[in-house]
Amino acid sequence: MRAVIVAIGVAFLVSLFCTPIAIKVFTRLKAGQPIRAEGPQMHQGKKGTPTMGGVVFILATVIAYVAGHLALTTLPDAQIAQVEPTITALVLLGLMVFSGAVGFVDDFLKVRKRHSGGLSARGKLLGQILVGAVFGVVALYFPSTMTDSSGEVTNTETVGSTTLSFIRDIPALDVTKIGAVIIFIFVVMAATNGVNLTDGLDGLATGASVMVLGAYAVIAFWQYRHWCADPSYTANPNNYCYAVRDPLEIALIAGAAAGACVGFLWWNTSPARIFMGDTGALGLGGLIAGMAMSTRTVLLLPIIGGLFVIITMSVVIQIISFKTTGKRVFRMSPLQHHFELAGWSEVNIVVRFWIIAGIGVAIALGLFYSDFLANMG
């Protein structure tokens, strides 16, 4: 727990104090956010606000991960905690950094062209597929070689699983390694686009991501305390354990990212002084996808990230309706803009959508804990 707390604190402080520096740097570089002419007119006042702020909390998360590992070296159960960096960290941080890199290219092109159209939809899609495929292969084809004090291998889990999972793996739903990589790519694409579509109002995507990442920190730490690779826990055959890889590592990274987002939210809340841009939205989406795969809670993700699903579906519904009937279901999509045009204030929309995000997280954590109680009984 100490390592996770250290990571959260370091990430928060780095993000909180480095974001103002980023604001000044991006302002001097004239890296202002272009605003779509067809968007809500009230957004025109945001034109020129520095973007690409996601660089800050991505960097803060990586720094906090290193700090958390330094704290791990003082733990009495350092061997079980796996002090050395792991493949799990490579996958999770890699997804965040390289998904963020795809978004950075998009933001850079927008700023350079002074136009809201950056990287083409096809280019962004190919970038997401490439990132998902590379780290999906790493997640499925590199098992752990963790050993106990006698040298016996105690954990041969991979980061991802060849079976679909809800609250844990579902053995009957084995999709093979190739199928699992394809699902991995799909989850990365879904999560990155979901967060990206949610990012449209000051602080909305940042606040929602804090809740989702906080939930994964809780889930992963719970899995660490009830881990199948911990001989002191599994000594009692009646104890229910989780067959995952490096759960403390997952909790540390999830906590660090959540802390970094809270620090960024200080400057990103209305009226925002900086936007996360596609750099931040795609980076967060990639990390959230990795969290779902590594904690073996893939089918729980739509509940944990319920707000992202609702907003994404509003876009899908709008497109299908317009193409099939020529009519729009919403005044504008994504959904948050519909309520803007309906006369809701930006702050009201953000807070109420945060409540929806919190409800999804609460339901998901309730289901997770209920499953544990049922199996322990």
Side-chain angles (χ1 to χ4, degrees), residues 3-317:
V4 176
I5 293 174
V6 167
I8 293 172
V10 170
F12 170 74
L13 293 173
V14 170
S15 188
L16 180 67
F17 291 109
C18 287
T19 300
I21 299 174
I23 293 172
K24 293 179 181 179
V25 171
F26 290 143
T27 299
R28 289 176 182 174
L29 295 175
K30 298 182 179 180
Q33 175 69 50
I35 304 297
R36 292 186 304 162
E38 63 272 19
Q41 288 304 306
M42 59 280 288
H43 284 204
Q44 295 304 316
K46 300 181 180 184
K47 186 176 182 179
T49 301
T51 187
M52 296 188 282
V55 169
V56 179
F57 59 72
I58 291 174
L59 180 62
T61 301
V62 175
I63 292 173
Y65 169 75
V66 175
H69 262 267
L70 292 176
L72 279 177
T73 60
T74 63
L75 289 175
D77 55 347
Q79 184 177 0
I80 295 299
Q82 287 197 295
V83 176
E84 298 298 324
T86 64
I87 292 291
T88 302
L90 173 66
V91 170
L92 295 179
L93 294 177
L95 283 169
M96 188 180 198
V97 171
F98 285 95
S99 293
V102 174
F104 182 85
V105 172
D106 185 48
D107 287 333
F108 177 79
L109 292 176
K110 289 177 183 177
V111 170
R112 185 177 181 182
K113 296 176 181 177
R114 306 296 182 200
H115 189 272
S116 59
L119 189 64
S120 68
R122 179 177 296 180
K124 192 180 295 186
L125 185 64
L126 288 174
Q128 293 167 340
I129 291 174
L130 179 61
V131 172
V134 170
F135 289 103
V137 169
V138 174
L140 269 299
Y141 285 86
F142 291 85
S144 173
T145 56
M146 182 178 173
T147 59
D148 60 19
S149 56
S150 65
E152 182 180 353
V153 175
T154 58
N155 184 17
T156 58
E157 295 288 338
T158 52
V159 178
S161 174
T162 59
T163 63
L164 286 178
S165 58
F166 179 48
I167 295 173
R168 58 184 183 277
D169 282 337
I170 307 173
L173 299 179
D174 194 312
V175 295
T176 74
K177 285 188 177 181
I178 295 176
V181 171
I182 293 173
I183 291 174
F184 196 102
I185 295 170
F186 174 78
V187 174
V188 169
M189 292 171 59
T192 51
N193 286 302
V195 178
N196 198 25
L197 290 171
T198 303
D199 181 36
L201 299 182
D202 296 353
L204 177 56
T206 310
S209 296
V210 169
M211 297 182 211
V212 172
L213 290 166
Y216 277 119
V218 170
I219 288 172
F221 191 77
W222 187 263
Q223 291 175 334
Y224 170 65
R225 300 301 297 175
H226 307 85
W227 192 19
C228 293
D230 184 352
S232 64
Y233 179 73
T234 54
N236 183 345
N238 294 320
N239 285 342
Y240 177 67
C241 66
Y242 294 93
V244 296
R245 176 171 179 173
D246 311 318
L248 184 60
E249 193 91 324
I250 301 168
L252 192 153
I253 294 172
C261 285
V262 172
F264 181 76
L265 185 60
W266 182 274
W267 307 99
N268 180 235
T269 193
S270 183
R273 292 185 57 188
I274 188 170
F275 299 140
M276 69 167 68
D278 280 23
T279 305
L282 269 60
L284 288 174
L287 178 59
I288 289 170
M291 291 289 162
M293 300 298 292
S294 60
T295 57
R296 312 294 172 85
T297 56
V298 174
L299 297 180
L300 192 65
L301 176 58
I303 301 176
I304 295 179
L307 178 65
F308 302 140
V309 174
I310 292 170
I311 289 178
T312 300
M313 289 308 299
S314 74
V315 175
V316 174
I317 291 170

Side-chain angles (χ1 to χ4, degrees), residues 314-377:
S314 74
V315 175
V316 174
I317 291 170
Q318 186 86 322
I319 293 173
I320 293 175
S321 177
F322 187 75
K323 288 189 174 182
T324 56
T325 68
K327 297 181 180 179
R328 292 180 172 86
V329 176
F330 307 104
R331 289 180 171 91
M332 181 178 289
S333 65
L335 188 60
Q336 59 268 31
H337 299 320
H338 167 82
F339 288 105
E340 276 190 293
L341 297 182
W344 291 25
S345 71
E346 182 171 7
V347 172
N348 275 342
I349 297 169
V350 170
V351 172
R352 288 168 181 171
F353 276 36
W354 280 352
I355 292 172
I356 294 172
I359 291 172
V361 164
I363 292 173
L365 289 177
L367 289 171
F368 181 83
Y369 187 60
S370 296
D371 174 79
F372 176 80
L373 292 179
N375 281 280
M376 285 295 288

